[in-house]
Amino acid sequence: MARVVVDVMLKPEILDPQGQAVQGALGRLGFAGVTSVRQGKQFVIDVDGPADDALRSRADEMATTLLANLVIEDYTVQVAD
Amino acid sequence: MAPRIGVVTFPGSLDDRDAARAVRLAGGEPVALWHKDNSVAGVDAVVLPGGFSYGDYLRCGAISRFSPVMAAVIEGAQAGLPVLGICNGFQILCESGLLPGALTRNDNLHFVCRDQRLRIESVTTAWTSGYTAGQEIVVPLKNGEGGYVADERTLDELEAEGRVVARYLEVNPNGSRRDIAGISNAAGNVVGLMPHPEHAVEPLTGPTTDGLAFFTSVLTQLVRP
């Protein structure tokens, strides 16, 4: 069994109003010095088989096909046993 | 025989009935299509209606884009089949790659529901030929993720090629780049629009009847010899 973790974030140039709302809330709660909040998604995917290059390649395909919209989002993939 | 216009129902579609009604009021024959259909049943055009298909899970339209019927819609669209995506339908068209860009969370974080003034910018598409260039219309708008974004080069291309179909007037309700409310593909057969013309087709239920021309436009094109 292997685990694939895909992190998806809005590209830096895309406005993230949810992140800004969270930043505002942190400020109101007294957390000083917060200069930016960006909100993303994490997918934790368990897969049969080993954590090898073939899985890395498949995980990349999952990310580009479905998990991330490359028009507005960047992603990173981690694969581990 | 009246042209047959397919209206796709996905799980979570809301406005399929209104879209079918608009087709009928315009003089077409609405044909109900289901997301699991493997074809578009030989229809002459397709409407992807508004709503929250697949609960907007992952991203709006991201899962519907892979439904069986969309394979047929994409193939048809690439061959010239007129396709209109309204609201969630617009999101599905962007996710499918038939239209450039993406729709993101409204910059004000509110779900906006209002009668919206628009300017029709392009009358050369399959769905807007019944308007006059620069015509102002008022139709309902209701979305939470309607902010149109694309990179600057894509936006410049859309403008240069006359593919901005409609623009928001008076208020930009969702932070869309360059006030864009709707766009088309290069051929003009595929149009995506965030506001809802199908809710403005008769005086009893709409703020105006300004939306009807989207549906009469495509019928005019289809009966043209």
Side-chain angles (χ1 to χ4, degrees):
Chain A
M1 180 79 96
R3 174 158 286 184
V4 173
V5 178
V6 180
D7 286 300
V8 176
M9 293 295 299
L10 283 172
K11 288 179 189 283
E13 66 269 27
I14 302 291
L15 183 71
D16 180 10
Q18 291 183 99
Q20 290 176 346
V22 172
Q23 183 182 347
L26 287 173
R28 288 193 296 278
L29 289 167
F31 294 99
V34 177
T35 56
S36 171
V37 175
R38 305 283 292 175
Q39 182 176 323
K41 298 174 192 155
Q42 184 175 74
F43 302 87
V44 179
I45 305 164
D46 291 331
V47 186
D48 286 330
D52 56 9
D53 283 347
L55 180 58
R56 262 175 215 97
S57 167
R58 269 207 301 155
D60 204 64
E61 201 181 333
M62 289 180 203
T64 56
T65 306
L66 181 66
L67 304 181
N69 179 345
L70 301 186
V71 175
I72 50 171
E73 294 169 327
D74 295 323
Y75 70 93
T76 59
V77 173
Q78 298 169 69
V79 173
D81 280 313
Chain B
M1 204 174 75
R4 299 167 69 241
I5 313 291
V7 178
V8 177
T9 299
F10 299 93
S13 291
L14 287 182
D15 301 323
D16 41 345
R17 295 293 187 94
D18 269 24
R21 188 162 145 273
V23 166
R24 195 170 61 248
L25 288 169
E29 179 192 342
V31 176
L33 300 174
W34 180 234
H35 70 119
K36 284 185 174 170
D37 291 348
N38 287 308
S39 83
V40 292
V43 295
D44 301 300
V46 170
V47 177
L48 303 179
F52 301 86
S53 60
Y54 294 90
D56 278 351
Y57 295 165
L58 186 59
R59 296 176 306 277
C60 304
I63 297 177
S64 352
R65 171 253 179 279
F66 290 104
S67 61
V69 75
M70 279 307 296
V73 170
I74 291 168
E75 188 185 340
Q78 286 165 345
L81 180 75
V83 178
L84 174 64
I86 302 166
C87 193
N88 189 215
F90 186 11
Q91 294 163 337
I92 294 169
L93 289 173
C94 286
E95 281 285 341
S96 72
L98 285 173
L99 293 175
L103 284 311
T104 58
R105 186 65 60 108
N106 293 353
D107 62 351
N108 51 38
L109 282 174
H110 293 288
F111 188 98
V112 176
C113 189
R114 65 194 306 270
D115 295 334
Q116 176 72 45
R117 183 172 293 275
L118 307 173
R119 185 171 56 237
I120 301 296
E121 301 268 332
S122 167
V123 296
T124 57
T125 80
W127 299 92
T128 54
S129 58
Y131 293 100
T132 54
Q135 184 175 343
E136 295 187 10
I137 67 171
V138 175
V139 300
L141 169 110
K142 43 173 192 158
N143 67 66
E145 302 197 31
Y148 182 74
V149 297
D151 59 45
E152 287 298 314
R153 200 190 55 169
T154 303
L155 293 168
D156 288 342
E157 274 175 19
L158 288 171
E159 305 258 15
E161 294 169 10
R163 292 165 56 192
V164 175
V165 172
R167 246 186 263 268
Y168 297 116
L169 292 179
E170 296 167 0
V171 174
N172 181 333
N174 46 34
S176 289
R177 306 298 303 276
R178 304 193 192 182
D179 300 332
I180 288 174
I183 59 171
S184 75
N185 66 346
N189 61 307
V190 179
V191 169
L193 191 71
M194 199 33 70
H196 289 263
E198 81 282 18
H199 295 330
V201 292
E202 61 178 2
L204 179 66
T205 54
T208 65
T209 56
D210 292 350
L212 192 62
F214 274 87
F215 303 92
T216 54
S217 292
V218 74
L219 294 176
T220 306
Q221 155 152 330
L222 291 169
V223 296
R224 193 181 298 153

